[in-house]
Every structure is written in structure tokens, then in C-alpha cells.
Amino acid sequence: MSFNSESIKESIRTRMEMVIEMASGEEAQNATADQTERNLWDMMRQIGCELMQLFFAVRSEQEAKPKAIEVEGNTYGYVDQATRKYVSIFGEVQVERAYYWAKGQEGKHPLDEALSLPSRSYSDWVQEMMGALCVICPEAEAMRWLARWLSLEVPKRSTQKVMGEHAEWAEAYYREQTPPEVKEADTILVALADGTGIRMIGRDSPPPQARRRKGAKTASKQAVATALYTIAPYPRSSDSIIRALLPDHLGEAPPAPRPEPTGKQVFGTMAGKEAAFTHLARQVARRPHDQLVHRIALTDGDVALQTQVHTHLPDFTLILDLLHVAQYLWKAANALWHETDPARELWITDALRCVLEDQLDTLLLHLRTQAAYVSPAHAQTLTQVANYLERNRPYMQYHLYLARGWPIGSGGIEGTCRYLVKDRFDRTGMRWSIEGAETLLGLRAIYLNDDWDDFQRFRRHQVHQLRFASPHPDALPETRALERAA
């Protein structure tokens, strides 16, 4: 293809006539809508490719080409025109631009800066598409869709490098992002945390002594998921909670309006609980809104998670997730009663009422007394449940939490673990490296937080600044406005 703009324009006009003929000519009279749509798509991609080539040809023709340029005190002499590949969503084109060189210095292409060309041949938009597809579905599947829709064949290694480079900007993005808005009624800031396993490839698996199954070639490593949101108070009674947990036994509770979480953000990391809570604490610090007078943290009974809450969120009230308490109570019920015995659900109802109405001592006494009248295995279960409840007593003041309208269940973090981690990482046969899992967790969180477009804009601006030591062309009006204001 010629890089002469006039010849490209003529080719585009010819193709446009072909498109018009395809849509309205004699052949169109017998074509189906589907056939025509597919043919038009192919033709429009070809025209788009030529239009991109025209854009670059015109910019190249208009580029000033002095004999030398000055950059940061160094003089670079003009050498020649240099050509590079640019893979757009329409297809591959060539970019011809002036090349300047100075001894001992990296060569310069001024037009690259003016156009904000990425260092890779793939356009920023193609890179965004690659990333968005990969956070939704497996990499091989994502690349098949790119090839099918856009006829872009992207090697696996290139995809992985692009994802890694984009993920490097995630932390910086959330440091500078404007905090989410807070609804007028919201007075509670809620933090949640939980861990879930991701199956690792052999080299990144935990050592054999740390694996659940002896002799297993691979094992899971824990990803720590966190979430943060604001919400309005929602006072409830113990009866409403019990009905919600035991709808089959007591009947479903009548529907009642309840507030929706606001500004929810999810995050995940393979770097451990310390790293997860360090990041979470930074996000908390970005939400210093005066109306958020209550701060609570919901976790299960994991001691390590609770320790991190006390360390990194010292002004938060730690609450033991009631759903995990209910799981332990069911263990006790199964130890005391046969699964089909009607007394089992009656016992669960009474046990939940003890937990919710500040009668924990009564329940603990009952569990320890009954341990003397059951088999050793069941006695061990009852003792385990009693010890769990006793240890977590400080985080189980549910009668106070309900009266204040605070959340007491971490269904939000359970959901976070599912759609942030399980839905993407836990598909059949998948194994991950630590680096690959960390990269995808960061980008998937951005996508699920609905920050993808804003993040990509931020990334483009930062990469441009880093590469060319100048503001991104899109940011110049903003920069000038700030300079005038100063």
C-alpha cells in the first residue's frame, strides 16, 4: 500500500462505492440481512484500515523535518524516515516518521510523541480490548474472539506482556482516583476480607508439608479478597434474622426495604494478608467523609484476618460474620440430632436466638454439658463449637449491632470471592503462576469496580509521561487550565 495520502483517498473512495453497491445494488436485492451485515463489516474494516493509514500518511507529510532538534540539552541530527508497525482494531498499518540521532543517546521520533504511539505495535485500544476480554474469560478464548471479530492474531506471549504492563499501574491508579461518592443517608463504612484458594502450577505450589493432600503435585495458594463500601443504617430484630436464615422452618420473612451498598470496591492479591490490609487501609484513608461516623469490619473467625483488622483498621469495630457462626451451630446441631430429626431445626432456632440476644453464656453451658452425653467424636465437635464461640465473644455483640442498623453478615465478601476469584480462576483444569494470578486479580478488580475506562485513560497518560517526559496530548487543555488557575 502506498503511503501517499492522495492515492489512499482514491482507494477509499473506490471502496466506498463498492460498499454502497453492496448495500443497494442488484446483488442486494437477493441477499439476506445477515449476509449483507457480515459483508459490510468486512468491507468497513478494510475502509477503516485505509482511513488509519491515511491519517498516518497525512501526519507524516505534514511533519516538520528540521536538520536537527534539541531535547533536554542534547542535539539530535536528522537521519532519515523510519517506519514502524501499528496494529489497529481495523488491521495493521505502517507509520512513517522522521528519525533523529545523537551519539550515545537513544534515537528520537518526534511524531511518536505527538501521536502518543504506544511502545508496542498494538494500539492502545487493541490493548484495552485484549485486557478486557482476558479479565472476563480464559486467555485462549479471548484471543479466539479477537481473531474471529477483528481478524487480529495476537500471540499468547504478547497478551501476557500487555496484561502485566497494564497491571503495574493499578496501585498508582487507586492512589490517585477520586473517592466514590457517599449517599446522604450513608453513615457506615464497611470493610470485608476473606481468603480463597487458587490452584497453582507446580513451581509456585506451596511446599509438600503445606498441602492438603499428601503427594499432590500441585496445591492451592490463598488469594486474599477485600471489599469496601458505605451503607445507611438498617435496624432489624433477631426474629427477622432468624427467619432469613431458616425460611424453610419458619417461613420467609416479609420483604422489607433495605439500603443498597454505595461505592463498593473490591480488591484481591496473592501477596498475603498483610499486603491486602495495607492496601485496604489506604483505600479507607481515601474516604474520610465526616458523615461516616461508624466503621465496621466483617470477617470470619480466622485469627490472622482478625489480627490484620486490629493492626491496620484500629478504629473499626470487628464483627464476626453471622453466616460463619450459623455454620458452626449447624455442626453442633448435627452432633446432637439426626439430620431428619425435627428437633434439629428447633435447636438451631433457639441457638441463634441465644447468639443474637446476648445469651451466649446459656448456649456455651448447654454445649459443654451435652458433650458429656454424646459419643467422643460428637463431643469433640460440640467442644470445638463452644471454643469457637468463646474465643470470638468480643465480636458477637449482635444485639447492639442490630439495634444500630449495622451489617452482621459478610455475604458481600463471599460474593466478592466468587466473582472476583472463583468465576475466573477456578475453571476446570486451570493452574496459575503467582505472577499471573496477581496480574489478573488487579485488572479484574478494576473491571468489576467499573473503573476500566477511567483506568485505561490514566494508564495512557502515565505511560506517555514516562516515555516522552511530557503531558499526554489529551491532557494538555487540562494542564493549561491548571497553569492559568495557578
Side-chain angles (χ1 to χ4, degrees):
M1 179 185 294
S2 169
F3 294 149
N4 178 275
S5 61
E6 291 305 318
S7 64
I8 297 174
K9 289 178 184 178
E10 187 59 35
S11 176
I12 292 171
R13 293 188 185 101
T14 301
R15 285 192 186 274
M16 283 302 303
E17 289 295 330
M18 294 171 62
V19 169
I20 294 171
E21 179 66 21
M22 181 184 297
S24 61
E26 185 176 339
E27 290 185 10
Q29 305 308 310
N30 298 315
T32 65
D34 179 75
Q35 179 185 4
T36 301
E37 184 178 358
R38 292 174 188 272
N39 290 338
L40 285 173
W41 172 250
D42 288 338
M43 289 292 292
M44 294 308 294
R45 280 198 301 105
Q46 295 174 35
I47 291 174
C49 193
E50 287 198 283
L51 286 169
M52 286 300 302
Q53 189 64 76
L54 174 63
F55 168 77
F56 287 124
V58 170
R59 292 298 295 266
S60 177
E61 292 168 0
Q62 294 176 347
E63 182 185 18
K65 302 176 180 66
K67 293 182 179 179
I69 59 173
E70 291 283 336
V71 180
E72 296 180 348
N74 296 311
T75 301
Y76 294 77
Y78 175 76
V79 178
D80 201 351
Q81 295 295 98
T83 302
R84 61 159 288 177
K85 181 170 69 173
Y86 184 88
V87 181
S88 74
I89 63 166
F90 305 109
E92 181 180 321
V93 297
Q94 303 297 316
V95 184
E96 190 175 88
R97 70 271 199 251
Y99 172 65
Y100 293 83
W101 178 83
K103 186 175 181 179
Q105 302 294 326
E106 185 179 355
K108 301 293 181 182
H109 302 91
L111 191 56
D112 285 10
E113 179 179 351
L115 297 173
S116 192
L117 296 182
S119 58
R120 294 192 173 277
S121 60
Y122 300 104
S123 73
D124 280 313
W125 197 5
V126 169
Q127 291 185 43
E128 287 180 36
M129 288 185 177
M130 291 162 58
L133 285 171
C134 285
V135 300
I136 297 170
C137 62
E139 184 180 281
E141 184 179 333
M143 294 307 100
R144 281 197 298 271
W145 283 114
L146 270 183
R148 183 173 181 178
W149 288 336
L150 301 177
S151 297
L152 293 179
E153 300 289 343
V154 183
K156 179 179 179 179
R157 185 171 179 81
S158 295
T159 304
Q160 292 173 340
K161 286 185 176 180
V162 166
M163 295 284 285
E165 290 168 0
H166 287 205
E168 290 175 0
W169 293 101
E171 186 71 25
Y173 170 71
Y174 279 114
R175 281 199 303 267
E176 299 188 21
Q177 183 200 38
T178 302
E181 293 185 4
V182 180
K183 288 183 179 177
E184 185 176 353
D186 289 1
T187 60
I188 308 169
L189 180 62
V190 183
L192 308 102
D194 200 4
T196 185
I198 293 179
R199 292 189 297 271
M200 294 284 105
I201 60 176
R203 74 166 186 267
D204 286 346
S205 291
Q209 61 269 24
R211 300 177 189 172
R212 292 185 177 181
R213 292 185 294 110
K214 293 182 179 179
K217 293 183 179 179
T218 61
S220 295
K221 185 174 177 64
Q222 191 178 67
V224 182
T226 60
L228 193 66
Y229 65 86
T230 62
I231 196 167
Y234 178 53
R236 288 95 74 212
S237 67
S238 58
D239 282 339
S240 67
I241 300 299
I242 294 171
R243 283 188 174 274
L245 292 175
L246 301 172
D248 294 338
H249 178 57
L250 300 176
E252 292 189 9
R258 59 186 305 160
E260 292 291 330
T262 302
K264 184 174 181 180
Q265 292 180 312
V266 300
F267 306 99
T269 182
M270 301 297 298
K273 297 179 178 67
E274 173 73 25
F277 273 84
T278 298
H279 182 275
L280 182 60
R282 281 200 291 264
Q283 298 309 310
V284 167
R286 295 176 58 252
R287 302 199 192 194
H289 207 286
D290 292 341
Q291 75 185 58
L292 299 175
V293 294
H294 305 294
R295 297 183 169 211
I296 68 170
L298 278 157
T299 71
D300 60 16
D302 184 277
V303 176
L305 286 177
Q306 293 172 338
T307 300
Q308 292 296 332
V309 171
H310 292 312
T311 301
H312 292 278
L313 307 174
D315 57 341
F316 276 59
T317 299
L318 176 58
I319 299 176
L320 179 65
D321 171 26
L322 183 66
L323 298 180
H324 282 84
V325 174
Q327 290 174 7
Y328 271 83
L329 293 180
W330 277 112
K331 289 181 182 180
N334 291 335
L336 290 168
W337 308 98
H338 191 273
E339 288 191 14
T340 59
D341 194 321
R344 193 173 67 117
E345 291 193 348
L346 290 173
W347 185 91
I348 278 286
T349 302
D350 290 339
L352 283 170
R353 196 171 299 282
C354 287
V355 167
L356 293 169
E357 296 182 358
D358 197 25
Q359 299 174 25
L360 186 59
D361 285 333
T362 301
L363 177 59
L364 292 174
L365 177 62
H366 171 72
L367 290 171
R368 289 181 170 132
T369 300
Q370 291 300 310
Y373 299 101
V374 296
S375 69
H378 287 163
Q380 183 179 3
T381 298
L382 295 179
T383 300
Q384 178 191 34
V385 172
N387 290 342
Y388 174 84
L389 297 175
E390 181 68 54
R391 182 180 65 78
N392 288 289
R393 179 193 291 268
Y395 320 125
M396 298 174 60
Q397 305 302 307
Y398 296 115
H399 61 295
L400 298 178
Y401 310 149
L402 291 176
R404 295 168 183 167
W406 293 357
I408 60 172
S410 64
I413 194 62
E414 298 290 342
T416 297
C417 284
R418 185 183 70 254
Y419 59 75
L420 175 62
V421 183
K422 295 294 184 182
D423 288 353
R424 178 63 180 86
F425 291 82
D426 203 24
R427 301 193 184 192
T428 303
M430 283 189 171
R431 297 290 186 273
W432 298 85
S433 68
I434 293 176
E435 181 182 4
E438 185 72 19
T439 291
L440 190 56
L441 278 172
L443 293 178
R444 188 165 169 80
I446 290 169
Y447 180 83
L448 293 174
N449 291 337
D450 201 23
D451 291 329
W452 188 259
D453 292 340
D454 190 52
F455 165 74
Q456 290 292 345
R457 179 177 180 273
F458 170 84
R459 181 196 61 80
R460 289 195 302 271
H461 285 208
Q462 297 301 310
V463 169
H464 181 99
Q465 178 73 40
L466 184 64
R467 187 176 179 210
F468 299 113
S470 65
H472 190 283
D474 287 350
L476 286 177
E478 301 170 10
T479 304
R480 289 168 182 158
L482 289 173
E483 288 174 350
R484 287 196 298 269

PDB file of all heavy atoms in Angstrom, residues 454-474:
ATOM      1  N   ASP A 454     -11.782   4.550  32.890  1.00  0.00           N
ATOM      2  CA  ASP A 454     -11.037   5.605  33.582  1.00  0.00           C
ATOM      3  C   ASP A 454      -9.600   5.155  33.860  1.00  0.00           C
ATOM      4  O   ASP A 454      -8.659   5.950  33.728  1.00  0.00           O
ATOM      5  CB  ASP A 454     -11.738   5.961  34.880  1.00  0.00           C
ATOM      6  CG  ASP A 454     -11.162   7.213  35.523  1.00  0.00           C
ATOM      7  OD1 ASP A 454     -11.055   8.237  34.826  1.00  0.00           O
ATOM      8  OD2 ASP A 454     -10.813   7.164  36.720  1.00  0.00           O
ATOM      9  N   PHE A 455      -9.441   3.890  34.229  1.00  0.00           N
ATOM     10  CA  PHE A 455      -8.095   3.356  34.472  1.00  0.00           C
ATOM     11  C   PHE A 455      -7.261   3.390  33.200  1.00  0.00           C
ATOM     12  O   PHE A 455      -6.075   3.769  33.230  1.00  0.00           O
ATOM     13  CB  PHE A 455      -8.181   1.922  34.996  1.00  0.00           C
ATOM     14  CG  PHE A 455      -6.872   1.180  34.939  1.00  0.00           C
ATOM     15  CD1 PHE A 455      -5.852   1.460  35.840  1.00  0.00           C
ATOM     16  CD2 PHE A 455      -6.644   0.214  33.964  1.00  0.00           C
ATOM     17  CE1 PHE A 455      -4.635   0.786  35.780  1.00  0.00           C
ATOM     18  CE2 PHE A 455      -5.434  -0.464  33.898  1.00  0.00           C
ATOM     19  CZ  PHE A 455      -4.427  -0.180  34.809  1.00  0.00           C
ATOM     20  N   GLN A 456      -7.836   2.989  32.076  1.00  0.00           N
ATOM     21  CA  GLN A 456      -7.075   2.964  30.832  1.00  0.00           C
ATOM     22  C   GLN A 456      -6.657   4.369  30.406  1.00  0.00           C
ATOM     23  O   GLN A 456      -5.554   4.568  29.891  1.00  0.00           O
ATOM     24  CB  GLN A 456      -7.890   2.281  29.726  1.00  0.00           C
ATOM     25  CG  GLN A 456      -8.072   0.786  29.912  1.00  0.00           C
ATOM     26  CD  GLN A 456      -6.780   0.015  29.762  1.00  0.00           C
ATOM     27  OE1 GLN A 456      -5.778   0.525  29.254  1.00  0.00           O
ATOM     28  NE2 GLN A 456      -6.763  -1.228  30.210  1.00  0.00           N
ATOM     29  N   ARG A 457      -7.526   5.337  30.642  1.00  0.00           N
ATOM     30  CA  ARG A 457      -7.148   6.727  30.352  1.00  0.00           C
ATOM     31  C   ARG A 457      -5.984   7.139  31.240  1.00  0.00           C
ATOM     32  O   ARG A 457      -5.017   7.759  30.771  1.00  0.00           O
ATOM     33  CB  ARG A 457      -8.344   7.650  30.572  1.00  0.00           C
ATOM     34  CG  ARG A 457      -8.050   9.129  30.312  1.00  0.00           C
ATOM     35  CD  ARG A 457      -9.324   9.959  30.480  1.00  0.00           C
ATOM     36  NE  ARG A 457      -9.071  11.362  30.240  1.00  0.00           N
ATOM     37  CZ  ARG A 457      -8.657  12.230  31.147  1.00  0.00           C
ATOM     38  NH1 ARG A 457      -8.444  11.811  32.403  1.00  0.00           N
ATOM     39  NH2 ARG A 457      -8.452  13.496  30.849  1.00  0.00           N
ATOM     40  N   PHE A 458      -6.070   6.825  32.527  1.00  0.00           N
ATOM     41  CA  PHE A 458      -4.983   7.129  33.463  1.00  0.00           C
ATOM     42  C   PHE A 458      -3.681   6.463  33.014  1.00  0.00           C
ATOM     43  O   PHE A 458      -2.615   7.094  32.998  1.00  0.00           O
ATOM     44  CB  PHE A 458      -5.368   6.635  34.855  1.00  0.00           C
ATOM     45  CG  PHE A 458      -4.259   6.666  35.870  1.00  0.00           C
ATOM     46  CD1 PHE A 458      -3.969   7.830  36.569  1.00  0.00           C
ATOM     47  CD2 PHE A 458      -3.488   5.534  36.132  1.00  0.00           C
ATOM     48  CE1 PHE A 458      -2.942   7.864  37.505  1.00  0.00           C
ATOM     49  CE2 PHE A 458      -2.465   5.555  37.055  1.00  0.00           C
ATOM     50  CZ  PHE A 458      -2.190   6.722  37.744  1.00  0.00           C
ATOM     51  N   ARG A 459      -3.776   5.186  32.636  1.00  0.00           N
ATOM     52  CA  ARG A 459      -2.581   4.441  32.227  1.00  0.00           C
ATOM     53  C   ARG A 459      -1.950   5.071  30.985  1.00  0.00           C
ATOM     54  O   ARG A 459      -0.721   5.239  30.923  1.00  0.00           O
ATOM     55  CB  ARG A 459      -2.955   2.980  31.949  1.00  0.00           C
ATOM     56  CG  ARG A 459      -1.780   2.106  31.529  1.00  0.00           C
ATOM     57  CD  ARG A 459      -2.244   0.811  30.905  1.00  0.00           C
ATOM     58  NE  ARG A 459      -3.026   1.005  29.701  1.00  0.00           N
ATOM     59  CZ  ARG A 459      -2.509   1.253  28.508  1.00  0.00           C
ATOM     60  NH1 ARG A 459      -1.193   1.355  28.355  1.00  0.00           N
ATOM     61  NH2 ARG A 459      -3.275   1.427  27.457  1.00  0.00           N
ATOM     62  N   ARG A 460      -2.774   5.421  30.002  1.00  0.00           N
ATOM     63  CA  ARG A 460      -2.234   6.033  28.784  1.00  0.00           C
ATOM     64  C   ARG A 460      -1.477   7.321  29.111  1.00  0.00           C
ATOM     65  O   ARG A 460      -0.387   7.564  28.583  1.00  0.00           O
ATOM     66  CB  ARG A 460      -3.365   6.337  27.790  1.00  0.00           C
ATOM     67  CG  ARG A 460      -3.977   5.126  27.145  1.00  0.00           C
ATOM     68  CD  ARG A 460      -4.811   5.521  25.935  1.00  0.00           C
ATOM     69  NE  ARG A 460      -5.875   6.459  26.251  1.00  0.00           N
ATOM     70  CZ  ARG A 460      -7.093   6.127  26.629  1.00  0.00           C
ATOM     71  NH1 ARG A 460      -7.394   4.848  26.789  1.00  0.00           N
ATOM     72  NH2 ARG A 460      -8.008   7.036  26.867  1.00  0.00           N
ATOM     73  N   HIS A 461      -2.055   8.131  29.972  1.00  0.00           N
ATOM     74  CA  HIS A 461      -1.409   9.401  30.331  1.00  0.00           C
ATOM     75  C   HIS A 461      -0.101   9.162  31.078  1.00  0.00           C
ATOM     76  O   HIS A 461       0.900   9.842  30.813  1.00  0.00           O
ATOM     77  CB  HIS A 461      -2.361  10.237  31.182  1.00  0.00           C
ATOM     78  CG  HIS A 461      -3.469  10.855  30.387  1.00  0.00           C
ATOM     79  ND1 HIS A 461      -4.079  12.035  30.747  1.00  0.00           N
ATOM     80  CD2 HIS A 461      -4.091  10.446  29.247  1.00  0.00           C
ATOM     81  CE1 HIS A 461      -5.010  12.346  29.859  1.00  0.00           C
ATOM     82  NE2 HIS A 461      -5.044  11.387  28.954  1.00  0.00           N
ATOM     83  N   GLN A 462      -0.104   8.200  32.002  1.00  0.00           N
ATOM     84  CA  GLN A 462       1.101   7.942  32.778  1.00  0.00           C
ATOM     85  C   GLN A 462       2.212   7.351  31.915  1.00  0.00           C
ATOM     86  O   GLN A 462       3.385   7.721  32.059  1.00  0.00           O
ATOM     87  CB  GLN A 462       0.778   6.996  33.941  1.00  0.00           C
ATOM     88  CG  GLN A 462      -0.209   7.551  34.955  1.00  0.00           C
ATOM     89  CD  GLN A 462       0.299   8.836  35.588  1.00  0.00           C
ATOM     90  OE1 GLN A 462       1.433   8.905  36.061  1.00  0.00           O
ATOM     91  NE2 GLN A 462      -0.547   9.861  35.601  1.00  0.00           N
ATOM     92  N   VAL A 463       1.849   6.429  31.038  1.00  0.00           N
ATOM     93  CA  VAL A 463       2.856   5.812  30.158  1.00  0.00           C
ATOM     94  C   VAL A 463       3.452   6.860  29.227  1.00  0.00           C
ATOM     95  O   VAL A 463       4.667   6.880  28.982  1.00  0.00           O
ATOM     96  CB  VAL A 463       2.226   4.649  29.360  1.00  0.00           C
ATOM     97  CG1 VAL A 463       3.171   4.178  28.259  1.00  0.00           C
ATOM     98  CG2 VAL A 463       1.896   3.482  30.289  1.00  0.00           C
ATOM     99  N   HIS A 464       2.605   7.734  28.703  1.00  0.00           N
ATOM    100  CA  HIS A 464       3.108   8.799  27.831  1.00  0.00           C
ATOM    101  C   HIS A 464       4.083   9.688  28.586  1.00  0.00           C
ATOM    102  O   HIS A 464       5.164  10.017  28.081  1.00  0.00           O
ATOM    103  CB  HIS A 464       1.943   9.629  27.300  1.00  0.00           C
ATOM    104  CG  HIS A 464       2.362  10.734  26.378  1.00  0.00           C
ATOM    105  ND1 HIS A 464       2.309  10.630  25.009  1.00  0.00           N
ATOM    106  CD2 HIS A 464       2.874  11.974  26.637  1.00  0.00           C
ATOM    107  CE1 HIS A 464       2.760  11.744  24.466  1.00  0.00           C
ATOM    108  NE2 HIS A 464       3.108  12.588  25.437  1.00  0.00           N
ATOM    109  N   GLN A 465       3.704  10.111  29.793  1.00  0.00           N
ATOM    110  CA  GLN A 465       4.577  10.956  30.609  1.00  0.00           C
ATOM    111  C   GLN A 465       5.908  10.277  30.872  1.00  0.00           C
ATOM    112  O   GLN A 465       6.971  10.905  30.791  1.00  0.00           O
ATOM    113  CB  GLN A 465       3.874  11.280  31.932  1.00  0.00           C
ATOM    114  CG  GLN A 465       4.693  12.121  32.898  1.00  0.00           C
ATOM    115  CD  GLN A 465       4.818  13.563  32.458  1.00  0.00           C
ATOM    116  OE1 GLN A 465       3.841  14.137  31.967  1.00  0.00           O
ATOM    117  NE2 GLN A 465       5.980  14.161  32.616  1.00  0.00           N
ATOM    118  N   LEU A 466       5.860   8.991  31.185  1.00  0.00           N
ATOM    119  CA  LEU A 466       7.080   8.248  31.479  1.00  0.00           C
ATOM    120  C   LEU A 466       7.955   8.096  30.245  1.00  0.00           C
ATOM    121  O   LEU A 466       9.178   8.204  30.319  1.00  0.00           O
ATOM    122  CB  LEU A 466       6.711   6.868  32.036  1.00  0.00           C
ATOM    123  CG  LEU A 466       7.858   5.974  32.504  1.00  0.00           C
ATOM    124  CD1 LEU A 466       8.574   6.598  33.698  1.00  0.00           C
ATOM    125  CD2 LEU A 466       7.341   4.583  32.864  1.00  0.00           C
ATOM    126  N   ARG A 467       7.322   7.867  29.101  1.00  0.00           N
ATOM    127  CA  ARG A 467       8.081   7.600  27.874  1.00  0.00           C
ATOM    128  C   ARG A 467       8.639   8.858  27.223  1.00  0.00           C
ATOM    129  O   ARG A 467       9.764   8.869  26.722  1.00  0.00           O
ATOM    130  CB  ARG A 467       7.176   6.852  26.887  1.00  0.00           C
ATOM    131  CG  ARG A 467       7.910   6.380  25.645  1.00  0.00           C
ATOM    132  CD  ARG A 467       7.025   5.559  24.743  1.00  0.00           C
ATOM    133  NE  ARG A 467       7.760   5.145  23.547  1.00  0.00           N
ATOM    134  CZ  ARG A 467       7.214   4.936  22.381  1.00  0.00           C
ATOM    135  NH1 ARG A 467       5.901   5.078  22.225  1.00  0.00           N
ATOM    136  NH2 ARG A 467       7.951   4.557  21.344  1.00  0.00           N
ATOM    137  N   PHE A 468       7.835   9.926  27.237  1.00  0.00           N
ATOM    138  CA  PHE A 468       8.230  11.123  26.491  1.00  0.00           C
ATOM    139  C   PHE A 468       8.548  12.319  27.388  1.00  0.00           C
ATOM    140  O   PHE A 468       8.951  13.371  26.885  1.00  0.00           O
ATOM    141  CB  PHE A 468       7.117  11.520  25.515  1.00  0.00           C
ATOM    142  CG  PHE A 468       6.805  10.470  24.485  1.00  0.00           C
ATOM    143  CD1 PHE A 468       5.587   9.820  24.501  1.00  0.00           C
ATOM    144  CD2 PHE A 468       7.725  10.122  23.516  1.00  0.00           C
ATOM    145  CE1 PHE A 468       5.279   8.858  23.560  1.00  0.00           C
ATOM    146  CE2 PHE A 468       7.434   9.162  22.563  1.00  0.00           C
ATOM    147  CZ  PHE A 468       6.207   8.521  22.588  1.00  0.00           C
ATOM    148  N   ALA A 469       8.353  12.184  28.710  1.00  0.00           N
ATOM    149  CA  ALA A 469       8.617  13.279  29.655  1.00  0.00           C
ATOM    150  C   ALA A 469       7.819  14.529  29.298  1.00  0.00           C
ATOM    151  O   ALA A 469       8.314  15.661  29.395  1.00  0.00           O
ATOM    152  CB  ALA A 469      10.112  13.600  29.693  1.00  0.00           C
ATOM    153  N   SER A 470       6.565  14.321  28.876  1.00  0.00           N
ATOM    154  CA  SER A 470       5.678  15.437  28.550  1.00  0.00           C
ATOM    155  C   SER A 470       4.244  14.996  28.810  1.00  0.00           C
ATOM    156  O   SER A 470       3.951  13.801  28.798  1.00  0.00           O
ATOM    157  CB  SER A 470       5.843  15.842  27.075  1.00  0.00           C
ATOM    158  OG  SER A 470       5.412  14.790  26.219  1.00  0.00           O
ATOM    159  N   PRO A 471       3.331  15.947  29.052  1.00  0.00           N
ATOM    160  CA  PRO A 471       1.928  15.568  29.272  1.00  0.00           C
ATOM    161  C   PRO A 471       1.343  14.898  28.040  1.00  0.00           C
ATOM    162  O   PRO A 471       1.706  15.216  26.902  1.00  0.00           O
ATOM    163  CB  PRO A 471       1.235  16.899  29.569  1.00  0.00           C
ATOM    164  CG  PRO A 471       2.338  17.837  29.940  1.00  0.00           C
ATOM    165  CD  PRO A 471       3.541  17.390  29.176  1.00  0.00           C
ATOM    166  N   HIS A 472       0.432  13.980  28.259  1.00  0.00           N
ATOM    167  CA  HIS A 472      -0.278  13.346  27.149  1.00  0.00           C
ATOM    168  C   HIS A 472      -1.035  14.416  26.369  1.00  0.00           C
ATOM    169  O   HIS A 472      -1.582  15.352  26.956  1.00  0.00           O
ATOM    170  CB  HIS A 472      -1.256  12.308  27.707  1.00  0.00           C
ATOM    171  CG  HIS A 472      -1.879  11.427  26.677  1.00  0.00           C
ATOM    172  ND1 HIS A 472      -2.901  11.859  25.858  1.00  0.00           N
ATOM    173  CD2 HIS A 472      -1.627  10.123  26.316  1.00  0.00           C
ATOM    174  CE1 HIS A 472      -3.260  10.870  25.040  1.00  0.00           C
ATOM    175  NE2 HIS A 472      -2.506   9.807  25.307  1.00  0.00           N
ATOM    176  N   PRO A 473      -1.064  14.334  25.027  1.00  0.00           N
ATOM    177  CA  PRO A 473      -1.770  15.359  24.245  1.00  0.00           C
ATOM    178  C   PRO A 473      -3.206  15.582  24.703  1.00  0.00           C
ATOM    179  O   PRO A 473      -3.699  16.710  24.682  1.00  0.00           O
ATOM    180  CB  PRO A 473      -1.718  14.795  22.815  1.00  0.00           C
ATOM    181  CG  PRO A 473      -0.473  13.965  22.792  1.00  0.00           C
ATOM    182  CD  PRO A 473      -0.369  13.356  24.163  1.00  0.00           C
ATOM    183  N   ASP A 474      -3.909  14.533  25.126  1.00  0.00           N
ATOM    184  CA  ASP A 474      -5.278  14.687  25.611  1.00  0.00           C
ATOM    185  C   ASP A 474      -5.339  15.533  26.875  1.00  0.00           C
ATOM    186  O   ASP A 474      -6.370  16.130  27.174  1.00  0.00           O
ATOM    187  CB  ASP A 474      -5.895  13.313  25.926  1.00  0.00           C
ATOM    188  CG  ASP A 474      -6.226  12.546  24.663  1.00  0.00           C
ATOM    189  OD1 ASP A 474      -6.157  13.139  23.573  1.00  0.00           O
ATOM    190  OD2 ASP A 474      -6.543  11.341  24.764  1.00  0.00           O
TER     191      ASP A 474
END
